[in-house]
Amino acid sequence: MGLSLPVPVATIGLLIASNVFMTFAWYGHLKYKAAPLLAVIAVSWLIALPEYALQVPANRLGHGQFSAAQLKTIQEVISLSVFALFSWLYLGEKLGWQHAVGFGLICLGAWFVFHDWT
């Protein structure tokens, strides 16, 4: 007996997992500035490969339940959420009120994308 998740749950779960990989691929090397750039690029590509293996199925699965614009909006909100946690927990950067306001405005934009205006 297999576990069958609702499409929105599976899509969002895959997008969260893919964004964790991509955030480390793009920004994880910032803690290792002494590492040679070519090595950092190679490692980043290796980390990014699982991101694509999760992102592509997430979009394929979710399209139909969500429009392409909604999928991109979900991905961006997840990306910013993952990045906020990453920059705070991994890089040790502080997040201020201006980050919360900016993120809130992006969420407001997401609300407009998902709101049915017809």
Side-chain angles (χ1 to χ4, degrees), residues 7-90:
V7 170
V9 173
T11 300
I12 291 169
L14 287 168
L15 289 173
I16 290 170
S18 75
N19 270 280
V20 169
F21 280 102
M22 205 59 185
T23 299
F24 273 97
W26 284 3
Y27 302 103
H29 61 89
L30 295 178
K31 284 184 102 171
Y32 306 98
K33 291 187 180 182
L37 185 57
L38 288 177
V40 167
I41 291 169
V43 170
S44 291
W45 271 72
L46 289 173
I47 296 169
L49 181 60
E51 186 270 344
Y52 284 99
L54 296 165
Q55 178 89 341
V56 171
N59 287 325
R60 181 164 289 199
L61 175 66
H63 192 248
Q65 178 79 37
F66 302 107
S67 70
Q70 289 172 327
L71 282 168
K72 183 61 180 171
T73 302
I74 293 167
Q75 189 274 329
E76 291 300 334
V77 169
I78 290 170
S79 180
L80 285 170
S81 300
V82 168
F83 183 77
L85 289 171
F86 174 86
S87 64
W88 174 52
L89 296 172
Y90 184 78

